[in-house]
Each structure stands twice: as C-alpha cells, then as structure tokens.
Amino acid sequence: MTSTKLIKNFLCENEVNLLKDYCRIMHRQNKGMMMAHYSDFNSSFYGDPVMESLLLNKRKAVEKEVNLKLSPTYSYFRVYTFRSDLPKHKDRPSCEISVTIHIGSDGTPWPLFVEDKKYETQPGDAIIYRGCEVEHWREPFEGDWHAQTFLHYVNFDGPHKEFYMDKRRMWADAK
C-alpha cells in the first residue's frame, strides 16, 4: 500500500446505526476515559469489545484494499465534542495500517487531513492510511459531537509484526 484511500460505505447502514447509538450511549454514560484537552471533553475507548469485534471482522476487507496480509493490533474509538482537535502527528508502530471510520455525528463536516490532502467523510466511510508513516490531523471541530473508530493493523510479515494484538494477552484487554 502506497497511498491513502477513502472507502465509501465501508460500513453498511445497519452497522452505522448500531455503532452510532452504541458510541453515544457509552459517551453519555461516561464509560470511557474522559479526555479534557483544552476546551474539549472527549470520551476515549481503547480495546472496547464491540470495536475489537469490528477490528477482527473487517480485517479481510482491509487486506483486500491494501493488498497485504494483516495482523490486527487494537481498536480505539472516540466521541469528540465542540472545539476538539487532533494535532498533526504520526502514530506508533501498532498503527502501521490505520483505518479511521466515521461512525456518526451531528452533521457538522470535520475533515481528516493526511499529508496535506483533505478527506471528507459521511457515516460509514473509512480512510485507510499508513498511520506511523504519514502525518495526519484535524482542525478544531465546530459541531456538537462526532464519533470515530480506529482500527489498527500491522503487516503480517512486516517490521512491526511483534505488535500483533498490541502485545496484549487477550482481545479487549485494556493493557
């Protein structure tokens, strides 16, 4: 895989509806780690069992898109709120192949920038990129809420293969 890909309708409508409601319920119940960053209050969830299942079940679809055999590492989802941002960064080795999926939002556009290219998504769309190689970021969010899930993989035969399961003992283990 050499370039970033936008995959429209990576999740079907039923998957989007289920995951959108799930993310909003988890956020409202403060089930995750609240991230107070500047003026935003995001709920963050590492290794959530539902998203770990998505990570495992979408592996074959991601392999087809990147033309590599992949090992899953971890899932992460976050519900962003007003004025949230994502500073320009590269990811750690467990994120060799990253998939950012728009789960749902209040409808306010919030593009992801990957190497200076702007990607606009709708619920169910995914962006696949090399997370630890390319800089990616988001500008401050002007809406009320935006839910994203992140699925991370490594090349099965690649230099980061030891990060299978993010070096955890079992799926949905929060380390």
Side-chain angles (χ1 to χ4, degrees):
M1 177 186 162
T2 57
S3 64
T4 301
K5 292 183 176 187
L6 171 63
I7 311 299
K8 302 300 275 180
N9 301 307
F10 183 74
L11 299 180
C12 72
E13 184 178 357
N14 287 339
E15 291 170 318
V16 168
N17 289 333
L18 175 77
L19 294 173
K20 177 187 65 172
D21 290 343
Y22 178 76
C23 290
R24 295 194 75 198
I25 289 167
M26 293 293 283
H27 174 72
R28 286 179 182 159
Q29 292 182 346
N30 294 322
K31 295 288 187 187
M33 178 175 62
M34 278 306 240
M35 303 287 289
H37 177 70
Y38 302 109
S39 62
D40 61 345
F41 290 91
N42 303 318
S43 297
S44 300
F45 304 83
Y46 173 93
D48 174 84
V50 171
M51 298 305 174
E52 295 280 88
S53 179
L54 188 66
L55 171 77
L56 298 172
N57 282 276
K58 290 297 184 178
R59 181 178 54 87
K60 295 264 187 236
V62 176
E63 285 178 337
K64 183 177 176 184
E65 292 295 334
V66 300
N67 199 30
L68 290 171
K69 184 176 179 185
L70 300 175
S71 293
T73 57
Y74 74 97
S75 66
Y76 189 84
F77 83 88
R78 185 174 275 172
V79 178
Y80 296 91
T81 59
F82 180 68
R83 297 302 293 162
S84 295
D85 67 354
L86 181 64
K88 189 179 281 192
H89 71 285
K90 292 181 183 178
D91 295 325
R92 60 192 179 90
S94 294
C95 309
E96 185 176 2
I97 304 296
S98 294
V99 183
T100 296
I101 305 170
H102 182 164
I103 298 297
S105 71
D106 64 1
T108 304
W110 198 34
L112 176 70
F113 294 88
V114 181
E115 292 191 314
D116 296 323
K117 185 170 180 188
K118 180 178 173 179
Y119 292 88
E120 298 274 359
T121 58
Q122 297 299 314
D125 294 348
I127 303 166
I128 303 174
Y129 53 97
R130 290 191 171 271
C132 52
E133 291 181 17
V134 298
E135 287 190 318
H136 49 285
W137 69 96
R138 290 182 189 268
E139 300 296 329
F141 180 55
E142 297 300 325
D144 184 47
W145 70 276
H146 189 100
Q148 292 280 326
T149 194
F150 311 93
L151 308 178
H152 300 291
Y153 304 89
V154 292
N155 182 339
F156 182 83
D157 295 316
H160 304 299
K161 63 186 174 188
E162 75 272 13
F163 289 93
Y164 168 69
M165 291 181 64
D166 208 21
K167 297 186 176 182
R168 296 174 290 170
R169 293 178 305 127
M170 65 184 78
W171 294 113
D173 185 0
K175 280 183 137 177

